[in-house]
Amino acid sequence: MTDPAELDVTIVDGYVDEPAHFGVPPYISTYPRYAAGALVDAGVPESRITYHTIDALREDTHLWRDVETADLMVYVGGMTVPGKYVGGTPAEPDEVRKLAWTADGTSIIGGPVRFGVGEANEGASETARDDLDFDFLAMADVEAAVYDLVESGLEGFNNRYRDVEEETRWARAGAFVVEQHPNHPDYLICEMETSRGCPYRCSFCTEPMYGNPDFRPPESVVDEVDALSDRGVAHFRLGRQADILAYGGDGEAPNPDALRRLYGGIREVAPDLETFHLDNMNPITIVKWPEKAREGIRIIAEHNTPGDTAAFGLESADPEVMSDNNLNVTADECFEAVKIVNEVAGFRPGGDRDTAPNHGDDAARRLPKLLPGINLVHGLKGERRETFEHNKQFLQRVYDAGLMLRRVNIRQVMAFEGTDMAETGADIAKDHKQLFKQYKREVREEIDNPMLQRVAPPGTVLPDVHLEYHQDGKTFGRQLGTYPLLVGLPGERELGRTIDVAVTDHGYRSVTGVPYPLDVNSASMAELATVPGVGKSRAGDIVVGRPYEAVGEVGDDLRRFITARPPERAD
C-alpha cells in the first residue's frame, strides 16, 4: 500500500478552453486547484505537490525532471472550443503524449480532454476520445479520480463526479497551488465555478454532458475566494457556469437573492480585489424573465469592476440553423437581451446610470461596467450562404440602434463525440471555409471597428495594463479580465510592468494607446504623434518647444491625454 504522505506528485496544466470554463494564462482554471486540494485531502502534504504549466516546461527543460520522477503525474487540459491565445499556448496532443512517455510513475489524464482530442487545437475539426498513452483516463471529475486513486494506493478508481462538500473542501485546500503559477501574484486571474451543466441541449456544446445545472451554495464560492485571496490572488472571474443569471435558482429563472449573496459575499471577504468579472449569461433568461433579470444584472453591475462582459450564446441569427441545432434564442430575442443589458449596466464609472448606455462625447472616460458579447458559431447543421447575411444583419441592427457590444466572437465548430454535431462533423465548416474567411473580415471591418470606437473612444483610460510582449517596435499589453482589449503602445517598454493607458486609436479588436497621463516634457516623438490631433509635424514642433510649464502651452485639445510636469531646475 502506497502511503499518501510519502507520495511526490506533479500536476501539469496543459490549459483548458470550454464553453463555460477558461484556463489559458493569465487565467488558471479550477482543475489544477481542485486536483491539488483533492491530493491534500487524501493525505499528500502540500510540500510534495509540484505544479507546472505546459509553457513553463517548454521554457525550462530541467522541469521535466519533476514529470519523470513523480510517483504520480496528473495532467489536466483540453480544448472544446477553439481560440487564439496571447498569454499562453495550450498543449498539443504530441506534447501530452510526451508527458505520458516521460513519467516513470503512475500517470493520469483528465479535464475536458476526456471529450475528445483533435489533431490540433483549432476549429472546423473533428475529435476522438484518446487516452494519449496515460495509465489512467478520468472520464468524470479528474479531481475525484485523483482522490480515489491515492486512496486506493494508486491501484485504480471508479469514474465519478465530486459532490458539493468535496468541492468546497478541495477548493480551499488546493488554493496554495496558485503560488506556483509563473504569473502569480500580479498577473493571474482565477476562474471560479458557480455551477456546471445546462438545461438546454445545443447541438455542438459539451456543457450539457455535465447534466442539468448543479449550483454551488454562495458560501462555498465565497470560501474559495477567501482562500485564494489569502494566497495573494486579487483577480477573479465567475466564468464556470452556463448562465450566471440562473445561479441559485431552478436552472433557468433568475434568482436575484442568490446573486446578491454571492456577489456581496465575495466583496466582503476580498474587499481589495482588483478584478471581478463574469463570462456566460444566457439571453433567453433575460427575455423570459425581464424584471428578475434586470434586478440580477443591476446587482452584478453594483459589485463588479469596469470592462466586464456577459457572453451571449446567440450562435446563429439564421432561423433555420437555430431550428436544426436546437438553439434556444432567436435573433429578435437576443437583440432585446442586448438592449436590456445596455440599459441596466452600460454605464461608465462617473457616468449617469439613468442615461445608459453611455457613449458619445460627454461619456465618462472609462469602459462601461457590463456589456454583452456575442458568440457566433459556424459550420452548424443547416448552415447556408444566407446564414452569414443573417448574422451580419443582426450585428448591424445592434450598432444602428446605438447599443454596445464588448466583442463579437466568431469561430468554426469543433465536433465532439456525444454531441449532436458528431454525425455531421466538420464537413460543413470545411466546405464554407472561404466564405467564412470573407465574412469574418467584413464583420471585423464593418462592425468591430466602429463598435470598438463607441465602446472605448479616444481618451478612454484603461488602468493597470500589463505589458506582455514586443512586436514591430511596439509594446503590447492587456488588462486582466474577461476578453480584455489588446493595447499597443509606441516603442519598446519594459515588460512585466503595469501602467495606465489612454486610448488613441482603434483596430478591429485592439486599440492603440499612450501612457496616461503622458508627460509632454518627456514623451517620445512616437508617443506624441499617436495622440489624436497631433501627428508627426506637430509632435516635432512640441519637442522643439520643450520645456512647458502647462498643457495649455501646447493646446487645450490635448488635455485628455497630456500633462505637463514642471521641468526640474538646478539649484
Side-chain angles (χ1 to χ4, degrees):
M1 182 73 174
T2 305
D3 183 358
E6 299 299 322
L7 284 179
D8 286 317
V9 184
T10 296
I11 300 172
V12 177
D13 189 351
Y15 312 144
V16 303
D17 192 352
E18 300 181 83
H21 201 171
F22 191 56
V24 182
Y27 284 82
I28 180 171
S29 72
T30 65
Y31 291 109
R33 298 176 354 232
Y34 290 4
L39 289 164
V40 171
D41 198 30
V44 181
E46 284 185 19
S47 60
R48 301 185 79 99
I49 300 171
T50 301
Y51 167 83
H52 293 309
T53 66
I54 188 66
D55 281 313
L57 292 176
R58 292 174 182 133
E59 292 168 9
D60 185 352
T61 56
H62 294 95
L63 298 180
W64 282 84
R65 181 70 177 163
D66 294 331
V67 175
E68 180 183 357
T69 61
D71 298 306
L72 174 63
M73 192 273 286
V74 181
Y75 173 80
V76 294
M79 322 300 289
T80 61
V81 294
K84 293 183 178 180
Y85 311 102
V86 176
T89 303
E92 294 288 351
D94 285 347
E95 292 179 303
V96 183
R97 288 190 184 92
K98 181 183 175 183
L99 288 166
W101 298 337
T102 301
D104 287 339
T106 302
S107 61
I108 180 172
I109 182 172
V113 69
R114 70 187 176 92
F115 293 126
V117 181
E119 294 181 5
N121 297 320
E122 60 188 12
S125 63
E126 298 173 13
T127 66
R129 290 199 172 105
D130 190 342
D131 63 12
L132 296 170
D133 298 323
F134 281 69
D135 295 323
F136 295 102
L137 168 63
M139 287 302 294
D141 280 333
V142 64
E143 54 268 35
V146 165
Y147 178 87
D148 294 346
L149 187 61
V150 171
E151 286 273 286
S152 75
L154 304 185
E155 293 298 322
F157 58 88
N158 293 318
N159 286 302
R160 69 176 179 89
Y161 290 100
R162 32 95 172 150
D163 57 34
V164 170
E165 289 76 14
E166 287 176 318
E167 181 178 13
T168 301
R169 290 201 313 272
W170 298 346
R172 171 166 280 279
F176 75 94
V177 88
V178 298
E179 295 179 338
Q180 299 183 44
H181 195 288
N183 288 28
H184 182 272
D186 297 328
Y187 198 51
L188 185 66
I189 182 167
C190 285
E191 186 85 320
M192 304 300 298
E193 177 179 315
T194 68
S195 70
R196 293 192 299 187
C198 184
Y200 304 104
R201 299 293 183 266
C202 300
S203 68
F204 62 93
C205 188
T206 56
E207 190 61 22
M209 293 183 184
Y210 289 103
N212 288 324
D214 178 27
F215 299 103
R216 294 175 70 185
E219 53 270 25
S220 175
V221 183
V222 170
D223 183 66
E224 183 179 3
V225 170
D226 187 34
L228 290 166
S229 181
D230 288 345
R231 296 285 183 168
V233 176
H235 307 276
F236 303 91
R237 184 176 83 155
L238 304 180
R240 183 67 181 95
Q241 72 273 315
D243 180 9
I244 188 64
L245 282 183
Y247 172 74
D250 62 4
E252 296 185 47
N255 184 343
D257 289 340
L259 283 171
R260 189 174 290 107
R261 288 162 55 207
L262 176 67
Y263 272 80
I266 288 173
R267 277 293 194 174
E268 185 175 341
V269 298
D272 298 323
L273 62 77
E274 297 174 28
T275 305
F276 190 13
H277 282 184
L278 62 91
D279 190 8
N280 297 306
M281 184 181 289
N282 198 329
I284 197 63
T285 306
I286 299 174
V287 294
K288 276 188 174 182
W289 297 276
E291 293 311 311
K292 283 188 175 182
R294 281 179 181 271
E295 185 179 352
I297 295 165
R298 201 173 293 116
I299 291 165
I300 292 169
E302 286 173 0
H303 293 89
N304 71 351
T305 54
D308 201 357
T309 306
F312 279 8
L314 171 59
E315 319 307 359
S316 180
D318 184 342
E320 290 194 16
V321 175
M322 179 190 172
S323 175
D324 288 351
N325 294 273
N326 201 30
L327 307 182
N328 62 60
V329 65
T330 68
D332 286 344
E333 289 170 331
C334 190
F335 177 84
E336 181 62 22
V338 167
K339 184 170 179 287
I340 288 173
V341 173
N342 268 259
E343 291 172 350
V344 178
F347 63 92
R348 302 169 191 263
D352 183 3
R353 296 187 181 203
D354 295 335
T355 61
N358 300 157
H359 57 79
D361 293 339
D362 297 331
R365 291 192 300 155
R366 291 289 301 278
L367 290 176
K369 286 301 290 296
L370 175 68
L371 292 178
I374 297 296
N375 295 341
L376 297 169
V377 179
H378 286 272
L380 298 176
K381 290 182 287 185
E383 182 175 281
R384 54 204 173 124
R385 181 173 291 273
E386 291 88 339
T387 302
F388 297 87
E389 289 303 316
H390 278 289
N391 287 350
K392 286 198 296 182
Q393 288 169 11
F394 169 81
L395 295 172
Q396 191 65 55
R397 179 186 177 191
V398 171
Y399 182 80
D400 291 345
L403 302 173
M404 292 186 287
L405 297 174
R406 171 55 196 85
R407 64 98 179 97
V408 180
N409 186 16
I410 302 171
R411 61 184 177 88
Q412 289 184 295
V413 71
M414 295 179 78
F416 285 89
E417 236 180 279
T419 68
D420 290 346
M421 277 298 296
E423 185 177 338
T424 304
D427 291 346
I428 296 173
K430 291 172 181 174
D431 290 344
H432 292 172
K433 198 87 172 180
Q434 288 306 119
L435 187 60
F436 175 79
K437 287 181 178 179
Q438 177 186 342
Y439 146 86
K440 192 171 182 178
R441 183 175 63 252
E442 290 172 354
V443 170
R444 299 299 181 228
E445 293 172 353
E446 299 170 16
I447 302 296
D448 281 344
N449 181 263
M451 183 66 78
L452 188 51
Q453 293 183 52
R454 178 178 290 174
V455 172
T460 299
V461 177
L462 306 176
D464 301 325
V465 173
H466 186 89
L467 305 182
E468 293 182 281
Y469 66 95
H470 297 139
Q471 183 176 314
D472 300 328
K474 297 179 180 179
T475 303
F476 290 86
R478 297 175 298 170
Q479 295 175 296
L480 276 173
T482 299
Y483 311 108
L485 284 170
L486 183 63
V487 183
L489 297 101
E492 294 193 352
R493 295 180 160 268
E494 180 185 350
L495 300 182
R497 293 181 56 222
T498 298
I499 64 171
D500 296 346
V501 172
V503 174
T504 59
D505 201 1
H506 306 79
Y508 300 145
R509 308 188 79 187
S510 62
V511 296
T512 301
V514 292
Y516 177 81
L518 188 65
D519 180 16
V520 69
N521 288 318
S522 61
S524 69
M525 274 274 293
E527 289 170 337
L528 289 168
T530 302
V531 174
V534 177
K536 290 183 179 179
S537 177
R538 188 178 176 188
D541 293 341
I542 290 172
V543 169
V544 169
R546 288 170 174 168
Y548 301 95
E549 296 285 347
V551 175
E553 295 178 43
V554 294
D556 288 336
D557 60 320
L558 306 183
R559 290 185 184 277
R560 286 182 299 167
F561 306 92
I562 291 176
T563 188
R565 295 191 180 93
E568 295 182 4
R569 288 178 167 78
D571 292 335

